[in-house]
Coordinates of all heavy atoms in Angstrom, one line a residue:
M1 N -10.1 11.3 1.8 CA -11.3 10.4 2.2 C -12.4 10.7 1.5 O -13.1 9.7 1.1 CB -11.4 10.7 3.7 CG -12.5 9.8 4.3 SD -11.9 8.1 4.5 CE -12.5 7.6 5.8
R2 N -12.6 12.1 0.9 CA -13.9 12.2 0.1 C -13.9 11.4 -1.2 O -14.9 10.9 -1.6 CB -14.0 13.6 -0.1 CG -14.5 14.5 1.1 CD -14.8 15.9 0.6 NE -13.6 16.4 0.0 CZ -13.0 17.5 0.2 NH1 -13.5 18.3 1.2 NH2 -11.9 18.0 -0.3
E3 N -12.7 11.4 -1.8 CA -12.5 10.5 -3.0 C -12.8 9.1 -2.9 O -13.5 8.5 -3.7 CB -11.2 10.8 -3.6 CG -10.8 12.1 -4.2 CD -9.4 12.4 -4.5 OE1 -8.4 11.6 -4.1 OE2 -9.1 13.5 -5.1
A4 N -12.3 8.5 -1.7 CA -12.6 7.1 -1.5 C -14.0 7.0 -1.2 O -14.6 6.0 -1.7 CB -11.8 6.6 -0.2
E5 N -14.8 7.8 -0.4 CA -16.3 7.7 -0.3 C -17.0 7.9 -1.6 O -17.9 7.1 -1.7 CB -16.6 8.9 0.8 CG -16.0 8.6 2.1 CD -16.4 9.7 3.0 OE1 -16.6 10.9 2.5 OE2 -16.4 9.6 4.3
A6 N -16.6 8.7 -2.4 CA -17.1 9.0 -3.8 C -17.0 7.8 -4.7 O -18.0 7.2 -5.3 CB -16.6 10.2 -4.4
A7 N -15.8 7.0 -4.6 CA -15.6 5.9 -5.3 C -16.4 4.7 -4.7 O -17.0 3.9 -5.6 CB -14.1 5.5 -5.3
H8 N -16.6 4.6 -3.5 CA -17.4 3.5 -2.9 C -18.9 3.8 -3.3 O -19.5 2.8 -3.6 CB -17.1 3.6 -1.4 CG -17.9 2.6 -0.6 ND1 -19.1 2.8 0.0 CD2 -17.6 1.3 -0.4 CE1 -19.5 1.7 0.6 NE2 -18.6 0.7 0.3
A9 N -19.2 5.1 -3.2 CA -20.7 5.3 -3.6 C -21.0 5.1 -5.0 O -22.0 4.7 -5.5 CB -21.1 6.7 -3.2
A10 N -19.9 5.2 -6.0 CA -20.1 5.0 -7.3 C -19.9 3.4 -7.8 O -20.2 3.1 -8.8 CB -19.0 5.8 -8.1
G11 N -19.6 2.6 -6.7 CA -19.7 1.1 -7.0 C -18.3 0.6 -7.3 O -18.2 -0.4 -7.8
A12 N -17.4 1.2 -6.7 CA -16.0 0.7 -7.0 C -15.8 -0.7 -6.3 O -16.6 -1.0 -5.3 CB -14.9 1.6 -6.3
D13 N -15.0 -1.6 -6.9 CA -14.8 -2.9 -6.3 C -13.6 -2.9 -5.5 O -13.6 -3.8 -4.6 CB -14.5 -3.9 -7.5 CG -15.7 -4.1 -8.4 OD1 -16.8 -4.1 -7.9 OD2 -15.5 -4.2 -9.6
Y14 N -12.7 -2.0 -5.4 CA -11.5 -1.8 -4.6 C -11.0 -0.5 -4.8 O -11.3 0.2 -5.7 CB -10.5 -2.9 -4.9 CG -9.9 -2.7 -6.3 CD1 -8.7 -2.1 -6.4 CD2 -10.4 -3.4 -7.4 CE1 -8.0 -2.0 -7.6 CE2 -9.7 -3.2 -8.6 CZ -8.5 -2.6 -8.8 OH -8.0 -2.5 -10.0
L15 N -10.0 -0.1 -3.8 CA -9.4 1.1 -4.0 C -7.9 1.0 -4.0 O -7.4 0.2 -3.2 CB -9.7 2.1 -2.8 CG -11.3 2.3 -2.6 CD1 -11.6 3.0 -1.3 CD2 -11.8 3.3 -3.7
L16 N -7.3 1.8 -4.8 CA -5.8 1.7 -4.7 C -5.6 3.1 -4.2 O -5.9 4.2 -4.6 CB -5.3 1.8 -6.2 CG -3.8 1.8 -6.5 CD1 -3.1 0.6 -5.9 CD2 -3.4 2.0 -8.0
L17 N -4.8 3.1 -3.0 CA -4.6 4.2 -2.2 C -3.2 4.6 -1.9 O -2.3 3.8 -1.5 CB -5.2 4.0 -0.7 CG -5.4 5.0 0.3 CD1 -6.2 6.3 -0.4 CD2 -5.8 4.6 1.5
G18 N -2.7 5.9 -2.3 CA -1.4 6.3 -2.0 C -1.2 7.6 -2.4 O -2.1 8.3 -3.0
P19 N 0.0 8.2 -2.3 CA 1.1 7.5 -1.6 C 0.9 7.4 -0.1 O 0.6 8.2 0.6 CB 2.4 8.3 -2.0 CG 1.8 9.7 -2.1 CD 0.3 9.6 -2.7
V20 N 1.2 6.2 0.4 CA 1.0 5.9 1.9 C 2.2 6.5 2.7 O 2.2 7.0 3.7 CB 0.8 4.4 2.2 CG1 0.7 4.2 3.7 CG2 -0.5 4.0 1.5
F21 N 3.4 6.2 2.1 CA 4.7 6.6 2.6 C 5.4 7.5 1.5 O 5.1 7.4 0.4 CB 5.6 5.5 3.1 CG 4.9 4.5 4.1 CD1 4.3 3.4 3.7 CD2 4.8 4.9 5.4 CE1 3.7 2.5 4.6 CE2 4.2 4.1 6.3 CZ 3.6 2.9 6.0
P22 N 6.5 8.2 2.0 CA 7.4 8.9 1.0 C 7.9 7.9 -0.1 O 8.2 6.7 0.4 CB 8.5 9.5 1.8 CG 7.9 9.6 3.2 CD 7.0 8.4 3.4
T23 N 7.9 8.2 -1.3 CA 8.5 7.4 -2.4 C 9.3 7.9 -3.3 O 9.1 9.2 -3.7 CB 7.3 6.7 -3.0 OG1 7.8 5.9 -4.2 CG2 6.3 7.7 -3.6
A24 N 10.5 7.4 -3.6 CA 11.4 8.1 -4.6 C 11.0 7.8 -6.1 O 11.3 8.4 -6.9 CB 12.8 7.4 -4.5
T25 N 10.1 6.8 -6.2 CA 9.7 6.4 -7.6 C 8.7 7.4 -8.0 O 8.7 7.7 -9.2 CB 8.9 4.9 -7.5 OG1 9.9 4.0 -6.9 CG2 8.6 4.4 -8.9
H26 N 7.7 7.7 -7.3 CA 6.8 8.8 -7.8 C 6.5 9.9 -6.6 O 5.7 10.0 -5.9 CB 5.4 8.1 -7.9 CG 5.4 7.2 -9.0 ND1 5.5 7.4 -10.4 CD2 5.4 5.7 -8.9 CE1 5.6 6.2 -11.1 NE2 5.4 5.3 -10.2
P27 N 7.7 10.7 -6.6 CA 7.6 11.7 -5.6 C 6.4 12.9 -5.8 O 5.9 12.9 -6.9 CB 8.9 12.6 -5.7 CG 9.5 12.2 -7.1 CD 8.9 10.9 -7.4
S28 N 5.9 13.1 -4.7 CA 4.7 14.1 -4.7 C 5.1 15.5 -4.0 O 4.6 15.7 -2.8 CB 3.5 13.5 -4.1 OG 3.1 12.4 -4.8
P29 N 5.8 16.3 -4.7 CA 6.3 17.6 -4.0 C 5.1 18.3 -3.4 O 4.2 18.5 -4.2 CB 7.0 18.4 -5.1 CG 7.4 17.4 -6.1 CD 6.3 16.2 -6.1
G30 N 5.3 18.7 -2.2 CA 4.1 19.5 -1.6 C 3.0 18.7 -1.2 O 2.0 19.2 -0.7
R31 N 3.1 17.4 -1.3 CA 1.8 16.6 -0.8 C 2.4 15.7 0.2 O 3.3 14.9 0.0 CB 1.4 15.7 -2.0 CG 0.2 15.0 -1.7 CD -0.4 14.5 -2.8 NE -1.6 13.5 -2.5 CZ -2.0 12.6 -3.3 NH1 -1.4 12.2 -4.4 NH2 -3.0 11.7 -2.7
T32 N 1.8 15.6 1.4 CA 2.2 14.8 2.4 C 1.7 13.3 2.2 O 0.4 13.1 2.0 CB 1.6 15.3 3.7 OG1 2.1 16.6 4.0 CG2 2.0 14.4 5.1
P33 N 2.5 12.4 2.5 CA 2.0 10.9 2.4 C 0.9 10.7 3.2 O 0.7 11.3 4.4 CB 3.1 10.0 2.7 CG 4.5 11.0 2.4 CD 4.0 12.4 2.8
L34 N 0.0 9.8 3.0 CA -1.3 9.5 3.7 C -1.0 8.9 5.1 O -1.7 9.3 6.1 CB -2.2 8.7 3.0 CG -2.7 9.3 1.7 CD1 -3.4 8.2 0.8 CD2 -3.5 10.5 1.7
G35 N -0.2 8.0 5.2 CA 0.1 7.3 6.5 C -0.8 6.2 6.8 O -2.0 6.2 6.1
P36 N -0.5 5.3 7.6 CA -1.3 4.2 8.0 C -2.7 4.6 8.6 O -3.7 3.9 8.4 CB -0.6 3.3 9.0 CG 1.0 3.6 8.7 CD 0.9 5.1 8.2
G37 N -2.7 5.6 9.4 CA -3.9 5.9 9.9 C -5.1 6.4 8.9 O -6.2 6.0 9.0
V38 N -4.7 7.1 7.9 CA -5.7 7.4 6.8 C -6.1 6.0 6.1 O -7.3 5.9 5.7 CB -5.1 8.4 5.7 CG1 -6.0 8.5 4.6 CG2 -4.9 9.8 6.5
V39 N -5.2 5.2 5.9 CA -5.3 3.9 5.2 C -6.4 3.2 6.1 O -7.4 2.7 5.5 CB -4.1 3.1 5.0 CG1 -4.4 1.7 4.6 CG2 -3.1 3.8 4.2
A40 N -6.3 3.2 7.4 CA -7.2 2.4 8.2 C -8.6 3.1 8.1 O -9.7 2.4 8.1 CB -6.6 2.5 9.6
G41 N -8.6 4.3 8.0 CA -10.0 5.0 7.8 C -10.7 4.7 6.6 O -11.9 4.4 6.6
V42 N -9.8 4.6 5.5 CA -10.4 4.2 4.2 C -10.8 2.7 4.1 O -11.9 2.4 3.7 CB -9.3 4.6 3.1 CG1 -9.9 4.0 1.7 CG2 -9.2 6.0 3.0
V43 N -10.1 1.9 4.8 CA -10.5 0.5 4.9 C -11.7 0.3 5.6 O -12.5 -0.5 5.2 CB -9.3 -0.3 5.7 CG1 -9.8 -1.7 6.1 CG2 -8.1 -0.4 4.9
G44 N -12.0 1.2 6.5 CA -13.3 1.2 7.2 C -14.5 1.4 6.3 O -15.5 1.1 6.8
L45 N -14.4 1.9 5.1 CA -15.4 2.0 4.3 C -16.0 0.8 3.7 O -17.2 0.6 3.3 CB -15.0 2.9 3.0 CG -14.7 4.4 3.3 CD1 -14.1 5.1 2.0 CD2 -15.9 5.1 3.9
G46 N -15.3 -0.3 3.9 CA -15.6 -1.6 3.5 C -15.3 -2.1 2.2 O -15.6 -3.3 1.8
L47 N -14.3 -1.4 1.6 CA -13.8 -1.9 0.2 C -12.4 -2.5 0.4 O -11.7 -2.0 1.3 CB -13.8 -0.8 -0.8 CG -15.1 -0.3 -1.4 CD1 -14.8 0.9 -2.3 CD2 -15.7 -1.4 -2.2
P48 N -12.0 -3.5 -0.3 CA -10.5 -3.9 -0.3 C -9.7 -2.7 -0.7 O -10.0 -2.0 -1.6 CB -10.4 -5.0 -1.3 CG -11.8 -5.5 -1.6 CD -12.8 -4.2 -1.3
V49 N -8.6 -2.5 0.0 CA -7.6 -1.4 -0.2 C -6.3 -1.9 -0.5 O -5.8 -2.8 0.2 CB -7.6 -0.4 0.9 CG1 -6.5 0.6 0.8 CG2 -8.9 0.2 1.1
I50 N -5.7 -1.5 -1.8 CA -4.3 -1.8 -2.1 C -3.6 -0.5 -1.8 O -3.9 0.5 -2.4 CB -4.3 -2.0 -3.6 CG1 -5.3 -3.3 -4.0 CG2 -2.9 -2.5 -4.0 CD1 -5.2 -4.5 -3.4
A51 N -2.5 -0.7 -0.9 CA -1.7 0.5 -0.6 C -0.5 0.6 -1.5 O 0.1 -0.5 -1.9 CB -1.2 0.3 0.8
I52 N -0.2 1.8 -1.9 CA 1.0 2.0 -2.8 C 1.7 3.2 -2.3 O 1.1 4.1 -1.8 CB 0.5 2.2 -4.3 CG1 1.6 2.1 -5.2 CG2 -0.5 3.5 -4.4 CD1 1.2 2.0 -6.8
G53 N 3.0 3.3 -2.6 CA 3.9 4.4 -2.3 C 4.8 4.2 -1.1 O 4.3 4.2 0.1
G54 N 6.0 3.9 -1.4 CA 6.9 3.6 -0.2 C 6.8 2.4 0.5 O 7.2 2.3 1.7
V55 N 6.1 1.5 -0.1 CA 5.8 0.2 0.4 C 7.1 -0.6 0.6 O 7.6 -0.9 -0.5 CB 4.7 -0.6 -0.1 CG1 4.6 -2.0 0.4 CG2 3.4 0.1 -0.1
T56 N 7.5 -1.0 1.9 CA 8.8 -1.8 1.9 C 8.4 -3.0 2.9 O 7.3 -3.0 3.7 CB 9.9 -1.1 2.6 OG1 9.5 -0.7 4.0 CG2 10.3 0.2 1.8
P57 N 9.2 -4.1 2.9 CA 9.0 -5.1 3.8 C 8.8 -4.7 5.3 O 8.0 -5.3 6.0 CB 10.2 -6.1 3.6 CG 10.5 -5.8 2.3 CD 10.4 -4.3 2.0
E58 N 9.6 -3.7 5.7 CA 9.6 -3.2 7.0 C 8.3 -2.5 7.4 O 7.9 -2.4 8.6 CB 10.8 -2.3 7.3 CG 12.1 -2.9 7.1 CD 12.5 -3.1 5.8 OE1 12.1 -2.3 4.8 OE2 13.4 -3.9 5.4
R59 N 7.6 -2.0 6.4 CA 6.4 -1.2 6.7 C 5.1 -2.1 6.6 O 3.9 -1.7 6.9 CB 6.2 -0.1 5.7 CG 7.2 0.9 5.9 CD 7.3 2.0 4.9 NE 8.1 3.2 5.3 CZ 8.7 4.1 4.5 NH1 8.4 3.8 3.2 NH2 9.5 4.9 4.9
L60 N 5.2 -3.4 6.2 CA 4.1 -4.3 6.1 C 3.4 -4.5 7.4 O 2.1 -4.5 7.2 CB 4.5 -5.6 5.4 CG 4.9 -5.5 4.0 CD1 5.4 -6.8 3.5 CD2 3.8 -4.9 3.1
P61 N 3.9 -4.7 8.5 CA 3.2 -4.9 9.7 C 2.2 -3.7 10.0 O 1.1 -3.9 10.4 CB 4.2 -4.9 10.8 CG 5.5 -5.5 10.1 CD 5.3 -4.8 8.8
E62 N 2.6 -2.5 9.7 CA 1.8 -1.2 9.9 C 0.5 -1.3 8.9 O -0.5 -1.0 9.3 CB 2.5 0.1 9.6 CG 3.4 0.5 10.7 CD 4.1 1.7 10.1 OE1 5.1 1.6 9.5 OE2 3.6 2.7 10.6
L63 N 0.8 -1.7 7.6 CA -0.2 -1.8 6.7 C -1.1 -2.9 7.0 O -2.3 -2.7 6.7 CB 0.5 -1.9 5.3 CG 1.2 -0.7 4.8 CD1 2.0 -0.9 3.5 CD2 0.3 0.5 4.5
R64 N -0.6 -4.1 7.4 CA -1.5 -5.1 7.8 C -2.4 -4.8 8.9 O -3.5 -5.0 8.9 CB -0.6 -6.4 8.2 CG -1.5 -7.8 8.3 CD -0.7 -8.9 8.3 NE 0.5 -8.9 9.1 CZ 0.6 -9.3 10.3 NH1 -0.4 -9.8 11.1 NH2 1.8 -9.2 10.9
A65 N -1.8 -4.1 10.0 CA -2.6 -3.6 11.0 C -3.7 -2.7 10.7 O -4.9 -2.7 11.3 CB -1.7 -3.0 12.1
A66 N -3.4 -1.8 9.5 CA -4.4 -0.9 9.1 C -5.5 -1.5 8.3 O -6.4 -1.0 8.0 CB -3.7 0.1 8.2
G67 N -5.4 -2.9 8.0 CA -6.4 -3.7 7.3 C -6.2 -3.7 5.7 O -7.3 -4.0 5.2
V68 N -5.1 -3.5 5.2 CA -5.0 -3.5 3.7 C -5.3 -4.8 3.3 O -5.0 -5.9 3.9 CB -3.7 -2.9 3.1 CG1 -3.5 -1.4 3.5 CG2 -2.5 -3.8 3.6
Y69 N -5.8 -4.9 2.0 CA -6.1 -6.2 1.3 C -4.7 -6.7 0.6 O -4.6 -7.8 0.6 CB -7.1 -5.9 0.2 CG -7.5 -7.1 -0.6 CD1 -8.2 -8.2 -0.1 CD2 -7.0 -7.2 -1.9 CE1 -8.7 -9.3 -0.8 CE2 -7.3 -8.4 -2.6 CZ -8.1 -9.5 -2.1 OH -8.4 -10.5 -2.8
G70 N -4.1 -5.6 0.2 CA -2.8 -5.9 -0.5 C -2.0 -4.6 -0.7 O -2.4 -3.6 -0.2
V71 N -0.8 -4.8 -1.4 CA 0.1 -3.7 -1.6 C 0.6 -3.8 -3.0 O 0.6 -4.8 -3.6 CB 1.4 -3.7 -0.5 CG1 0.9 -3.5 0.8 CG2 2.2 -5.0 -0.8
A72 N 1.2 -2.7 -3.5 CA 1.9 -2.6 -4.7 C 3.2 -2.1 -4.3 O 3.3 -1.1 -3.5 CB 1.1 -1.7 -5.6
A73 N 4.3 -2.6 -4.9 CA 5.7 -2.2 -4.6 C 6.5 -2.2 -5.9 O 6.4 -3.1 -6.6 CB 6.3 -3.1 -3.5
I74 N 7.4 -1.3 -5.9 CA 8.3 -1.2 -7.0 C 9.7 -1.3 -6.5 O 10.4 -2.3 -6.7 CB 8.1 0.2 -7.9 CG1 6.8 0.2 -8.5 CG2 9.2 0.3 -9.0 CD1 6.4 1.4 -9.2
R75 N 10.1 -0.2 -5.8 CA 11.5 -0.1 -5.3 C 11.8 -1.1 -4.4 O 12.9 -1.7 -4.4 CB 11.7 1.3 -4.7 CG 13.2 1.6 -4.6 CD 13.5 3.0 -4.3 NE 13.2 3.9 -5.4 CZ 14.0 4.0 -6.5 NH1 15.1 3.4 -6.6 NH2 13.6 4.9 -7.5
A76 N 11.1 -1.6 -3.5 CA 11.2 -2.6 -2.5 C 11.6 -4.0 -3.2 O 12.5 -4.7 -2.7 CB 10.0 -2.9 -1.7
L77 N 11.1 -4.2 -4.3 CA 11.5 -5.3 -5.1 C 12.7 -5.1 -6.1 O 13.6 -5.9 -6.2 CB 10.3 -5.9 -5.9 CG 9.1 -6.2 -5.0 CD1 7.9 -6.6 -5.9 CD2 9.4 -7.4 -4.1
W78 N 12.6 -3.9 -6.8 CA 13.7 -3.5 -7.7 C 15.1 -3.6 -7.0 O 16.0 -4.1 -7.6 CB 13.3 -2.1 -8.3 CG 14.2 -1.8 -9.4 CD1 15.4 -1.1 -9.3 CD2 14.1 -2.0 -10.8 NE1 16.0 -0.8 -10.5 CE2 15.2 -1.4 -11.4 CE3 13.0 -2.7 -11.4 CZ2 15.4 -1.4 -12.8 CZ3 13.3 -2.7 -12.8 CH2 14.3 -2.1 -13.5
D79 N 15.1 -2.9 -5.8 CA 16.4 -2.9 -5.0 C 16.8 -4.0 -4.3 O 17.9 -4.1 -3.8 CB 16.3 -1.6 -4.1 CG 16.4 -0.3 -4.9 OD1 16.5 -0.3 -6.0 OD2 16.0 0.7 -4.3
A80 N 16.0 -5.1 -4.2 CA 16.3 -6.2 -3.3 C 17.3 -7.1 -3.9 O 17.3 -7.3 -5.3 CB 14.9 -7.0 -3.3
A81 N 18.1 -7.6 -3.1 CA 19.2 -8.6 -3.6 C 18.6 -9.8 -4.4 O 19.1 -10.3 -5.3 CB 20.1 -9.0 -2.4
D82 N 17.4 -10.2 -3.7 CA 16.7 -11.4 -4.3 C 15.3 -11.0 -4.3 O 14.4 -11.2 -3.5 CB 16.8 -12.7 -3.3 CG 16.3 -13.9 -3.9 OD1 15.3 -13.8 -4.8 OD2 16.6 -15.0 -3.4
P83 N 14.8 -10.3 -5.4 CA 13.4 -9.8 -5.6 C 12.4 -11.1 -5.3 O 11.3 -10.8 -4.7 CB 13.3 -9.4 -7.0 CG 14.7 -9.1 -7.3 CD 15.5 -10.1 -6.6
R84 N 12.5 -12.2 -5.9 CA 11.7 -13.1 -5.6 C 11.4 -13.6 -4.2 O 10.3 -13.7 -3.7 CB 12.0 -14.5 -6.4 CG 10.9 -15.6 -6.3 CD 11.6 -16.9 -6.9 NE 11.6 -16.5 -8.5 CZ 12.1 -17.3 -9.4 NH1 12.4 -18.5 -9.1 NH2 12.1 -16.9 -10.6
A85 N 12.5 -13.7 -3.4 CA 12.5 -13.9 -2.0 C 11.8 -12.8 -1.3 O 11.0 -13.1 -0.4 CB 13.8 -14.3 -1.5
T86 N 12.1 -11.6 -1.6 CA 11.5 -10.5 -0.9 C 9.9 -10.4 -1.3 O 9.1 -10.2 -0.3 CB 12.1 -9.1 -1.6 OG1 13.4 -9.2 -1.2 CG2 11.5 -8.0 -0.8
A87 N 9.6 -10.7 -2.6 CA 8.1 -10.7 -2.8 C 7.4 -11.9 -2.0 O 6.3 -11.7 -1.5 CB 7.9 -11.0 -4.4
R88 N 8.0 -13.0 -2.0 CA 7.4 -14.2 -1.2 C 7.3 -13.7 0.2 O 6.2 -14.1 0.9 CB 8.4 -15.4 -1.4 CG 7.7 -16.6 -0.8 CD 8.5 -17.9 -1.3 NE 8.8 -18.0 -2.7 CZ 9.9 -18.1 -3.2 NH1 11.1 -18.1 -2.6 NH2 10.1 -18.2 -4.6
S89 N 8.3 -13.2 0.8 CA 8.2 -12.8 2.3 C 7.2 -11.7 2.5 O 6.4 -11.7 3.5 CB 9.6 -12.4 2.9 OG 10.0 -11.1 2.3
M90 N 7.0 -10.8 1.6 CA 6.0 -9.8 1.6 C 4.6 -10.4 1.6 O 3.8 -10.0 2.4 CB 6.1 -8.7 0.6 CG 7.4 -7.8 0.7 SD 7.7 -6.7 -0.6 CE 6.4 -5.4 -0.2
V91 N 4.3 -11.3 0.7 CA 3.1 -12.1 0.7 C 2.8 -12.7 1.9 O 1.8 -12.6 2.5 CB 3.0 -13.0 -0.6 CG1 1.9 -13.8 -0.5 CG2 3.0 -12.1 -1.8
Q92 N 3.7 -13.5 2.5 CA 3.7 -14.1 3.6 C 3.2 -13.1 4.8 O 2.4 -13.5 5.6 CB 4.8 -14.9 4.0 CG 5.1 -16.1 3.1 CD 6.5 -16.8 3.3 OE1 7.4 -16.3 3.9 NE2 6.5 -18.1 2.8
E93 N 3.9 -12.1 4.9 CA 3.7 -11.1 5.9 C 2.2 -10.6 5.9 O 1.6 -10.4 6.9 CB 4.7 -9.9 5.9 CG 4.4 -8.8 6.9 CD 4.5 -9.2 8.2 OE1 5.5 -9.8 8.6 OE2 3.8 -8.6 9.1
L94 N 1.8 -10.4 4.7 CA 0.4 -9.8 4.5 C -0.7 -10.8 4.8 O -1.8 -10.5 5.1 CB 0.2 -9.3 3.1 CG 0.9 -7.8 2.9 CD1 0.7 -7.5 1.4 CD2 0.2 -6.8 3.7
T95 N -0.4 -12.2 4.6 CA -1.3 -13.3 4.8 C -1.2 -13.9 6.1 O -2.0 -14.9 6.3 CB -1.3 -14.3 3.6 OG1 0.1 -14.7 3.6 CG2 -1.6 -13.6 2.3
Q96 N -0.6 -13.4 7.0 CA -0.5 -13.9 8.4 C -1.8 -13.8 9.1 O -2.5 -12.9 9.1 CB 0.6 -13.4 9.2 CG 2.0 -13.7 8.9 CD 3.0 -13.1 9.7 OE1 2.7 -12.5 10.8 NE2 4.3 -13.2 9.4

């Protein structure tokens, strides 16, 4: 949270925040994922927040409830049978 506050004070336009959930793409040994609660706290600073790390279509409702502006996903799209349809559905979920 201190890093987010410092970035906000320094004039950041948005924040990329993660890892929110466990991720196989960029594992962080010894580091606990932040979780949607921390995301919601950072969103409360007033900057747009992009969530990254373990983002899947199933986790989007939690992230939307936390107030994220957007998400970054790798494996959710890479492993999808139809990446285009998955990306489209993820955008729709976030913009409801």
Side-chain angles (χ1 to χ4, degrees):
M1 186 66 147
R2 284 188 309 230
E3 292 173 345
E5 290 169 340
H8 185 261
D13 293 320
Y14 66 94
L15 298 171
L16 183 64
L17 186 63
V20 177
F21 301 103
T23 174
T25 308
H26 300 289
S28 302
R31 187 169 173 207
T32 303
L34 301 172
V38 171
V39 173
V42 173
V43 166
L45 294 175
L47 289 174
V49 172
I50 309 297
I52 189 168
V55 173
T56 64
E58 298 78 21
R59 292 175 171 153
L60 290 179
E62 287 179 273
L63 294 172
R64 188 166 43 94
V68 297
Y69 178 80
V71 299
I74 296 173
R75 191 163 300 277
L77 300 174
W78 186 270
D79 292 345
D82 185 346
R84 182 180 297 178
T86 301
R88 194 173 299 125
S89 71
M90 290 175 77
V91 169
Q92 289 172 343
E93 175 68 35
L94 283 174
T95 58
Q96 289 184 6

